[in-house]
Amino acid sequence: MNWQDKLNKEGLRLTTPRRVVISVLEAAGVPLSPQTIHQRSLDADEEIGLVSVYRTLEMLTDLGLVRRVHGHEACLGYVLASPGHHHHLVCRSCSTAVEFSGMDDLSTLIDHIQEETGFLVDEHMLQFSGLCPQCRKRTPHHDQD
Amino acid sequence: MNWQDKLNKEGLRLTTPRRVVISVLEAAGVPLSPQTIHQRSLDADEEIGLVSVYRTLEMLTDLGLVRRVHGHEACLGYVLASPGHHHHLVCRSCSTAVEFSGMDDLSTLIDHIQEETGFLVDEHMLQFSGLCPQCRKRTPHHDQD
DNA sequence: TCCTTATTGAAAATAGTTTTCAATAAGAAA
DNA sequence: TTTCTTATTGAAAACTATTTTCAATAAGGA
């Protein structure tokens, strides 16, 4: 299903600002902040309002079509999300973000945690950072820098 | 080692504002925002500047003595951290935060991810939310897992 | 107690995000 | 295509969060 249909299905319209936000995210492939997305729309001569960037990101996040990615210190930004998967792996050198599913290993962990703590775990946030294959090659040593 | 020594060891001073921030965090046991910490200092007739709250949190975070806790949407706040452990489990009802270690299960997961993606994983952020034992009891149904 | 200097707090500066509202344009219907 | 309804836009203002500046203060070693 294309973006047009995805939005129309929800009674939403595929407008120019929304199209631009989506294409910027598609072109980037790394988490981008609202400010960065706005700047890139200017760079591409597709000026849209910063306010619309915020509203579009909120809408797409609600629909599960983009995901917020966090670092330890702050929110890194937003990336397009494929539905159903919830985890990101971000390269700390080039910021490339990859999605992965790890529910099998994770459900074991969740079981252990529930036993240990007595909590009922129903939501989780798991993110990894490291070096992507390209940046590993570029780095002389394979340890950590 | 007490707080006095922990700070002095680093050439830092244990001042009244720092003492207040720490005691508010100790008393809370749940993640608190800078604003909330400030408000509680007023409530306790221990007025300190909001600016000092920010600076104290930054300092304690740098020393690894407090940790930022994130939710999917935003930063939930700061909690005291015991050194070495990195994961939090937060109750979505009462915000109680518990630390846990899950490195055994997690290292399996990390191995799998490294194989699948070719990334070198060197940092991770893992947080869970759910219901703590007390809030489970208060909740009528135990249905959804 | 004295002295050095890390730290404080008020205000101002900066940054990030949300709300308001009249004007616009998407997309369904004719 | 044209018309119509209303979701959406964008500029400005409001709001909230965070950082910087700097003179005054106080922590803790000598």
Side-chain angles (χ1 to χ4, degrees), chain A residues 68-71 88 125-129, chain B residues 123-126:
Chain A
R68 272 182 99 131
V69 178
H70 298 265
H88 281 95
M125 173 160 75
L126 174 60
Q127 293 180 185
F128 293 91
S129 66
Chain B
E123 213 183 292
H124 62 267
M125 173 161 74
L126 175 59

Side-chain angles (χ1 to χ4, degrees), chain A residues 133-145:
Chain A
Q134 286 72 34
C135 293
R136 284 180 78 170
K137 281 182 205 146
R138 274 199 287 278
T139 310
H141 316 300
H142 279 205
D143 38 341
Q144 63 191 36
D145 74 336

Side-chain angles (χ1 to χ4, degrees), chain B residues 69-94:
Chain B
V69 178
H70 297 265
H72 280 276
E73 292 314 309
C75 180
L76 297 174
Y78 297 79
V79 286
L80 290 180
S82 52
H85 293 97
H86 293 271
H87 309 129
H88 282 96
L89 175 52
V90 181
C91 178
R92 66 176 149 78
S93 174
C94 68

Side-chain angles (χ1 to χ4, degrees), chain A residues 10-11 17 19 22 25 29 32 49-50 54 71 74 91 105 116 119 134:
Chain A
E10 306 286 337
R19 209 188 298 270
I22 291 167
L25 286 175
L32 300 178
L50 176 58
Y54 277 101
C91 178
D105 298 293
E116 278 177 39
F119 270 62
Q134 286 72 34

